[in-house]
Every structure is written in structure tokens, then in C-alpha cells.
Amino acid sequence: MTIGKPALRIEDRRFLTGEGRYVDDFSLQRQCHAALVLSPHAHADIVSIDISAASEMPGVIAVLTGADVATDDLGSVPPFFMPEVWGGPKGFATLRPILVADRVRCVGERVAVVIAETVDEAKAAADQVYVDYAPLPAIVDAEAALAEGAPVVWDENPTGNLSVHLKFGDEAKTSAAFDGASLIVSRRLASGRVTPASLEPRGCLGDYDAGTDTFTLHTSSQDPHGFRRVLASVILKIPESTLRVISPDVGGGFGLKAHVHPEDAIVLWASKRVRRPVKWIATRSESMQTDTQGRGQIVYADMALSAEGKILGIRARGFHNLGAYFWGTATPPLFFSMQLIPGTYDVPTVDLQTRAVFTNICPMSVYRGAGRPEAAYAIERLMDEAAYELGMDPLEFRRRNYVKPDQMPYSNPAGLTYDSGEFERLADECVQLSDWEGYETRQAESRKRGRLRGRSITSYIEIAGVMNERMEVRFDPSGTLTILAGTHSHGQGHATVFTQMVSDWLSIDQKDIRFVQGDTDKVLIGRGTFAARSSMLGGTALKRAVDDVIGKASKMAALLLKADEADVFFEDGLFKVRNSNESMPIQNVAKFFYLPAGPVMRFSLGLYGEGTSAGKPGAQPNFPNGCQVVELEVDPDTGVVTIDRFYSVDDVGKALNPKICEGQIHGGCAQGLGQALCEEVVYDDDGQLISGSFMDYCLPRAEHMPTIRSKLIEIPSLSNPLGVKGIGESGTIGTPAAIVNAVLDAVRPAGVLDIDMPVTPGKLWDALHAARQHSH
């Protein structure tokens, strides 16, 4: 058995030796290059565009604008889905043109594209496109955008800058709980904008074949079939079968590459226009301006408590900054940032509301965690503040309020039902792992060195596994097996884990199993990978595909073994006959499906199996959860935060490959640390991007990262036959709250009672300095 073993990733040799193939590694004959003309204004009408000078530049093949888009009757990029699809109220949706012809609504809008022989020639010509803009007032703050008289992003929106107002829970019941409370704690909590900053920037290569009237797109995508649907049906208005989407190795997705961007359509359209392949690879500056961003929420959160320290109710009023468009997959963050606020705690009633607001900045969409980190941040900040106000140990306060195992399945008051979980057990495991009792000694040692030491314990829960999925397994005439995956790996290790699973189920050597993904001409249909979905949905579908193969092959095996089908069974890679020594390996049976004549003609030609995750159990969400303990030091003279100890205990359901699970947790923690300590997209009041490069946008470095000690707990999920829980986002979800709570624990004795992310040295030094001034 290899399932559950910490096997090394089989993909890594290829990546470490430079044999990976990314979009920029592909070049086609007669290939030319695209360069974008981006709006420098956050809000402006386009008066005119003059392309005459650019068109005469050396190497230029074509210059295209929004007028050309209209001439060719191309569609615009729609949202992936709106809140009403998930049972919410109808929101104001927007369509994003691939090239804007009339009004730009944020810096980085695509206004024109130059196609030229080389990248340098395309960029030089793009600088010569003259656009006459009539600037308009801009708005960047979500709360201010709802004020009377604020500049309106979409004139046709009947509710001004409000797209949708979501509500969860029972407002009257929660109000009554607050009226009877002994203590109410309140906080304004900010989860600032962050950019995915994937190691591989977005890129695409479009190729139109005039002979067959078909398109091929190489693109850095998490969801190739989803890209094909939007590009073919909505934008190009062609049958999906005439567009092939190939997504090769992808250097980081994080939600950014889960939806179509205008460039994916531009290179296909331009290729048909110029009858040559067209390539575009983003520069880092273009990425910072045009990539969708994550988070961007302000929430006013209140918790009502009894004198004994029991939570009576939670109230929250959120504002999510959509940016200029309701675009991509913006809906999940709106829902999950509210629905998961109760977290791992037994909260009797909630009144949770959030408003999705248009502003003149880059659009918001999913980023690793997608609403779950915001929810965890809200509840865990409130938990620590409540414990402080009650004069109670934060760990004891949490234990008093955890949902208990005998309450499972547990329906939280915001409409989600947790199928399994032992939250207090995970906290106990994390406490034991962290040498909880030795903290005071370490705190005293820090004090001797002039450092402020703080600690936090943070629990978190998320929802994983959305939509359905399809997987296929196929034997070739030689008896070799191929997995055709509807999921798409961009760092998660699918080739390792899925081949591990099939190797166990069919007793075929893992090295003899081929893994195929990311090509719409090879894989019939798939949903791609995001939202920690692949292990459960892909795994469930894969198990059903294998069962389908076994079922088909057993009939052939009965014929070959001259036995009744009822007497044939599959075990350890062999079809066997009961009460007999007769057997045959499944690979040998598979070969007979490819014979051209003989008794096997009664069976279909070829042996393959298909499976989907649709149906119960299999398509229901699961709820990964965990607990983190963080210890850190603050240098009061500089505001520098040094994380000294970091412990993470995670309930992964069934660990298919523990090593990969831990890698995903550590990577998630790194991204959560970035949000907590240094990452923030900043716009000025006019909508100009201030943090437009890595000189101004601070990613975490090796020196920021502590050694993470992690432990996996296996409490099988009841929502799927494999018992797995998604793990790809968990580390990101708990870490921001864990770090900020630990910082506040360190500086609270110095008089700092609140601070917003990111907790930069300058911000923390200012807070400490202000507290000292106030105390004097």
C-alpha cells in the first residue's frame, strides 16, 4: 500500500532539472508578439485613440483597439457566477471588454494591443499609441463608495456602487442575545488587498489555423475547460470543439489563474486577424497592475458573551471591495467570509451581513483561502479580545466554546453543516506539541534581552470541495494505464497522489501509470483545481473510474478464465476464480479488449473507465480544520517582529500522502504570514497603484519564515467515500489571525490594544511610540 505513505513527488525531478514546460517555453513557427496599452487613469472617458504613429513603427503587424473588437462582434468577459447562483440575492453584474473602447474604470484597463515581430518592437510601438482621456473622479475606499455623492463606477447600476448585500443568520434573535449579554466586545478588522504574485506570470500563446478554422491556446490556467467554455461560447462565439486549450506546467495559481483574463482572448483573436501565432507574457509590472487581487474586506464585528464566558451571538457588518468589476470568481469570498465566522465554536445565533462594493481599483477575485482567512480573522480576533476582557486564559475560553464531537453533524447558524471534527482535541494536540507550559520561562528570557514576547492559539475551519468532477482511466493495447484527469495540478502533486491511489487499487507499479492533464483535446471535461477540491472530488471520481474498469474487465476475465462471471473477483491486481487456482493480471485482460476478432468481439473495443464525483456521497463539501500556536518576539526599539515558534495541527481526514499535505500546509502558512506582516496592495486617493513593484510590495523572505512543526490528525470526513479533507488552503486561513493575536499579546502590556494588517515594523513602532506618549 502506498496510500497514506509520505512518498516523494514524482514530478519534482523534472522541475528541479529544468525539464518543466511553461507557456513561455512554447514557440511556434512565424510567431509574433503582443504588447498592451494600459490605462494610466483610474476613471476616465476615452475621447479618441490615435494608432497612426504606432502602426508605422518597425516590425509592427497590427494595432487593435476596442473599435476592432466591436467590428468583429466579440463578447466580453463575464463573472464566473453571481451570488444568486448560490442562493443569494441578485447582484449587479458587469461585463469586461477585452479592449475598452469608451470608459476606463481602473488603472491597468486594456485599451489597445500592438502585434509585432518581436517583444521589444511591440512594446516600443505600444508607447506610441496616443489615447486622449477625459479624467473622471475616482473612488477607492469601499465604505466611502457607498456614501451619498461618491463618484459612481457604473452609471447604469440602480444601487449606485453597491453590487449586492448578503445576509446570513437571524437578525432579531441575535439582537435579543446582545440585549441579554453581560459583555460585548467589538472590533473593526481590516483584511487588506493582496496580489497573488505567482512565480510564473500569466502568459498565453494563441494560434488560429485557417485551414481547419480552429484555434489552439496555450495558457497558464488552473481550469482549462472553464477557459475554453468562456472563450469559445461567450467571447469568440464559436463551438467549443473548435478551440483547444492546453495548460502545461503552471508556476503558481492561487486563484489568479482560475478564470479567463482579457489577454487569453486577445491572442486568439489577434492570431486570426494576422494569420500568425501571437504570444503575450506579462511583465511583473503588468502583473501588479492587471492581475486580480484577493481579500480587501473591512468588517465591524461584535461578540455577545455571558458572565461565564459563553458566546451568545455574533454580529458583523462587512464591506468587500470588488474593484471596478464583479469579475472572475468574486462570489465565494463574499459568502465564506461571513458563513465561516462562527468557526469551530458553538455560536447560538448570528447576524452577518456584507456589502460588495464597486470602486476604481483592480478587480477582486479568489486568492488562496477565498473568504475563509477573513472569517477566521474575525472570529479569532474576537475570541482573544473577549478572553482579555473576561480576564480568562484564551485557551480555556476556547475550550469552553468549542463545538463538541457529539454535536456532529453540526449546523452552524450561518447555514453550513460540518460533517466531522474534533476541535478541542486538535487544540490539545497543538498545546502538547508547543511546550505550552514552558512559555513563561521563554517570556522571561525574552524580557532580559529587551524583547516583548507574545503567544496565541488559533483554531480555524474551512469549506473544501465545490462543484463536480470527472476522471478517466484508460488501458492501451500494451496493457499500460493512463489517468486522464479533469483536475489540474499547479504545484499540488497530483501526478504523485493520483498514481499512488490507482497503483494501490489495481496493484500496478506506480512508474507504469501515465498521468495526463490540462489539454481539452485529451481530457473530455474537468473543473480544474481550486478551493482544495481535487483530493475529494478528483479522488472520488478516480475511484469510481477504477471500479468501472474492474467491472468491465471482470466480464472479459470470466470469458478468458472459462468461469461464470459470478465466480470471478478482483484482488491484488488479479482476476481470480473462486475455489480455483486460475487467475489473470488485469493488464493481460486489458490487452484482449484490443483484439480484432474472436470471442472477444462480444465486448466493446478498448478498456477504459470513467467516474464522476456527482451523487452522494462524493459531491458534498468537507470541512478541513486545524489549530496553530505561534510564539514571537517584538523589538520595541524597531517594531521588528520575529516569529520564534510556529506549530500547526491539521485534521486532513484521510492523509493520502502526508509529505504533500505538510508541504501544502507550510506553503499556505507562508502566504498567511505575508498577509499578516508585510503584503499589501496600496492605491492613493486617485486610484493610482503605489505598490506597483517588488520594491514597494513586500513579499515574505526566508528570514521571515520560522521552522514550522506540523502534525496531521486523521478524522475521516463523512461526506465522501475516501474520507479525505482538502488541505491546500488550510495554512493560509489560520495564520494571519495567529500572528496578529500573538503580536497583540506581546504589545498589549505596553499599551497597544489594536493594530491592522500588515503589521509592518514602521506601523508597530508608531503604535508603541504613541502608547508610550499616551502613558506619559
Side-chain angles (χ1 to χ4, degrees):
M1 289 288 290
T2 62
I3 295 177
K5 300 288 180 60
L8 292 174
R9 299 191 345 158
I10 62 177
E11 302 96 326
D12 287 348
R13 177 175 295 276
R14 184 163 58 86
F15 294 138
L16 293 172
T17 56
E19 297 301 320
R21 296 200 74 194
Y22 301 87
V23 170
D24 201 21
D25 293 318
F26 290 84
S27 293
L28 302 177
Q29 288 187 345
R30 302 180 65 245
Q31 172 180 293
C32 51
H33 298 268
L36 299 169
V37 178
L38 303 178
S39 168
H41 296 279
H43 202 195
D45 284 330
I46 297 175
V47 179
S48 64
I49 302 177
D50 184 352
I51 65 171
S52 57
S55 299
E56 298 301 319
M57 293 284 287
V60 171
I61 301 167
V63 182
L64 304 174
T65 68
D68 299 304
V69 172
T71 297
D72 289 356
D73 191 31
L74 299 183
S76 298
V77 184
F80 190 66
F81 54 86
M82 291 295 292
E84 54 264 32
V85 176
W86 273 19
K90 186 174 178 60
F92 181 78
T94 58
L95 295 175
R96 189 171 202 184
I98 63 173
L99 293 175
V100 177
D102 50 3
R103 176 175 293 182
V104 296
R105 291 178 170 86
C106 64
V107 167
E109 289 263 53
R110 293 79 163 170
V111 175
V113 61
V114 174
I115 313 301
E117 296 289 350
T118 69
V119 173
D120 289 342
E121 288 172 332
K123 290 180 177 178
D127 287 340
Q128 298 303 310
V129 174
Y130 176 74
V131 185
D132 184 10
Y133 294 97
L136 298 168
I139 188 75
V140 300
D141 180 85
E143 291 182 85
L146 295 180
E148 186 175 350
V152 176
V153 180
W154 293 92
D155 292 339
E156 55 268 50
N157 182 6
T159 53
N161 287 322
L162 177 68
S163 172
V164 69
H165 183 182
L166 299 177
K167 299 181 180 182
F168 304 92
D170 188 322
E171 190 170 356
K173 183 179 178 182
T174 304
S175 180
F178 272 77
D179 289 342
S182 295
L183 174 67
I184 296 173
V185 294
S186 303
R187 278 291 179 267
R188 178 190 184 273
L189 303 167
S191 293
R193 281 287 193 104
V194 292
T195 186
S198 56
L199 188 61
E200 178 205 18
R202 289 185 299 107
C204 44
L205 170 59
D207 184 24
Y208 173 70
D209 186 333
T212 59
D213 194 25
T214 59
F215 295 84
T216 300
L217 175 70
H218 290 78
T219 183
S220 183
S221 167
Q222 298 174 226
D223 180 14
H225 288 87
F227 274 44
R228 183 181 68 174
R229 179 185 63 80
V230 173
L231 290 167
S233 301
V234 180
I235 300 175
L236 298 176
K237 302 177 184 177
I238 59 175
E240 286 191 46
S241 59
T242 62
L243 171 60
R244 180 185 185 185
V245 176
I246 301 171
S247 183
D249 294 323
V250 174
F254 315 125
L256 165 67
K257 299 172 183 176
H259 46 260
V260 166
H261 287 75
E263 293 82 8
D264 296 295
I266 287 171
V267 296
L268 291 170
W269 168 55
S271 178
K272 185 173 183 179
R273 274 264 185 158
V274 304
R275 292 297 199 266
R276 292 173 60 179
V278 177
K279 188 177 194 177
W280 174 83
I281 303 294
T283 65
R284 187 58 66 183
S285 177
E286 286 174 323
S287 296
M288 300 296 278
Q289 292 182 71
T290 65
D291 287 355
T292 53
Q293 298 164 1
R295 315 295 188 247
Q297 183 206 50
I298 299 295
V299 63
Y300 295 85
D302 311 297
M303 179 183 284
L305 300 124
S306 70
E308 297 74 31
K310 289 288 289 182
I311 301 171
L312 302 178
I314 297 175
R315 185 165 49 209
R317 297 292 182 268
F319 300 86
H320 243 110
N321 194 329
L322 286 175
Y325 296 86
F326 200 117
W327 195 47
T329 318
T331 292
L334 304 178
F335 275 73
F336 295 149
S337 65
M338 293 288 116
Q339 287 184 291
L340 284 163
I341 281 181
T344 58
Y345 307 106
D346 187 12
V347 180
T349 181
V350 296
D351 171 18
L352 310 173
Q353 302 183 29
T354 194
R355 291 168 172 83
V357 185
F358 292 112
T359 62
N360 294 114
I361 64 175
C362 184
M364 178 274 291
S365 188
V366 288
Y367 172 68
R368 196 172 189 174
R372 291 80 144 186
E374 295 95 307
Y377 191 64
I379 182 63
E380 291 301 319
R381 285 291 310 277
L382 287 176
M383 292 298 288
D384 262 30
E385 297 305 325
Y388 174 71
E389 293 290 338
L390 288 165
M392 188 179 294
D393 176 72
L395 174 58
E396 174 55 33
F397 176 57
R398 284 170 170 80
R399 283 176 170 155
R400 196 166 293 191
N401 287 284
Y402 280 129
V403 174
K404 308 302 181 188
D406 60 9
Q407 293 177 269
M408 296 292 176
Y410 175 82
S411 295
N412 85 4
L416 297 178
T417 299
Y418 311 156
D419 65 289
S420 60
E422 298 180 23
F423 309 135
E424 188 170 357
R425 174 188 166 190
L426 265 64
D428 291 341
E429 295 271 4
C430 206
V431 164
Q432 184 176 1
L433 189 67
S434 69
D435 183 25
W436 188 265
E437 300 302 325
Y439 172 71
E440 291 184 0
T441 300
R442 295 189 292 275
Q443 188 180 42
E445 291 171 351
S446 296
R447 195 176 298 118
K448 289 178 184 177
R449 292 183 287 105
R451 302 292 189 265
L452 305 174
R453 193 176 190 92
R455 173 177 68 176
S456 71
I457 183 166
T458 298
S459 293
Y460 51 90
I461 191 167
E462 74 140 319
I463 182 171
V466 293
M467 299 192 292
N468 51 15
E469 192 51 87
R470 182 185 185 275
M471 304 285 274
E472 184 177 342
V473 293
R474 182 186 302 167
F475 282 96
D476 68 17
S478 71
T480 299
L481 184 74
T482 297
I483 299 170
L484 295 108
T487 57
H488 190 281
S489 178
H490 37 276
Q492 293 88 345
H494 291 184
T496 300
V497 177
F498 287 145
T499 56
Q500 277 185 275
M501 296 162 72
V502 172
S503 174
D504 276 8
W505 294 333
L506 294 179
S507 295
I508 296 175
D509 195 307
Q510 190 176 1
K511 70 176 185 298
D512 293 331
I513 302 172
R514 186 166 170 256
F515 181 78
V516 173
Q517 65 166 17
D519 187 333
T520 59
D521 269 14
K522 294 178 180 179
V523 178
L524 177 64
I525 189 65
R527 305 298 183 196
T529 291
F530 41 85
R533 67 188 303 275
S534 295
S535 61
M536 183 193 82
L537 297 171
T540 296
L542 186 60
K543 180 64 169 68
R544 290 173 177 168
V546 167
D547 290 344
D548 187 32
V549 156
I550 293 171
K552 291 175 180 176
S554 65
K555 301 179 188 298
M556 176 71 81
L559 171 68
L560 299 173
L561 294 170
K562 299 178 181 179
D564 290 334
E565 187 179 335
D567 291 331
V568 175
F569 64 98
F570 183 73
E571 183 179 68
D572 298 329
L574 299 172
F575 284 100
K576 301 178 180 179
V577 180
R578 300 186 197 282
N579 303 317
S580 167
N581 291 327
E582 296 293 324
S583 66
M584 183 176 288
I586 189 170
Q587 296 101 315
N588 289 359
V589 174
K591 295 175 184 179
F592 282 91
F593 279 87
Y594 291 91
L595 293 182
V600 298
M601 293 285 284
R602 73 181 69 174
F603 301 108
S604 62
L605 178 60
L607 178 59
Y608 66 93
E610 56 186 336
T612 75
S613 60
K616 297 182 180 181
Q620 318 314 309
N622 60 82
F623 292 87
N625 58 91
C627 184
Q628 293 175 346
V629 169
V630 169
E631 285 188 30
L632 52 77
E633 289 184 333
V634 173
D635 183 342
D637 295 328
T638 63
V640 170
V641 174
T642 302
I643 300 176
D644 184 50
R645 292 168 171 241
F646 196 119
Y647 305 92
S648 180
V649 175
D650 283 272
D651 170 12
V652 299
K654 173 66 177 175
L656 299 174
N657 185 318
K659 186 177 291 292
I660 287 179
C661 287
E662 292 198 353
Q664 287 289 300
I665 291 166
H666 290 190
C669 291
Q671 289 182 280
L673 179 149
Q675 181 182 351
L677 293 181
C678 56
E679 292 187 56
E680 186 177 25
V681 176
V682 179
Y683 291 88
D684 69 12
D685 290 342
D686 294 321
Q688 290 297 317
L689 180 63
I690 303 301
S691 53
S693 75
F694 287 155
M695 294 292 289
D696 305 294
Y697 184 89
C698 180
L699 290 174
R701 298 170 173 82
E703 65 189 40
H704 295 121
M705 278 298 294
T707 297
I708 298 174
R709 291 189 59 193
S710 58
K711 183 176 182 179
L712 306 180
I713 303 295
E714 296 185 285
I715 301 169
S717 171
L718 304 179
S719 69
N720 65 87
L722 303 180
V724 299
K725 296 176 182 176
I727 199 62
E729 298 181 304
S730 291
T732 321
I733 293 167
T735 300
I739 291 175
V740 175
N741 276 345
V743 169
L744 288 172
D745 185 57
V747 300
R748 192 176 280 116
V752 178
L753 303 182
D754 197 13
I755 196 164
D756 284 333
M757 295 187 289
V759 185
T760 60
K763 187 185 294 184
L764 188 52
W765 186 91
D766 284 344
L768 287 164
H769 180 71
R772 284 194 293 267
Q773 294 293 104
H774 181 74
S775 66
H776 294 323

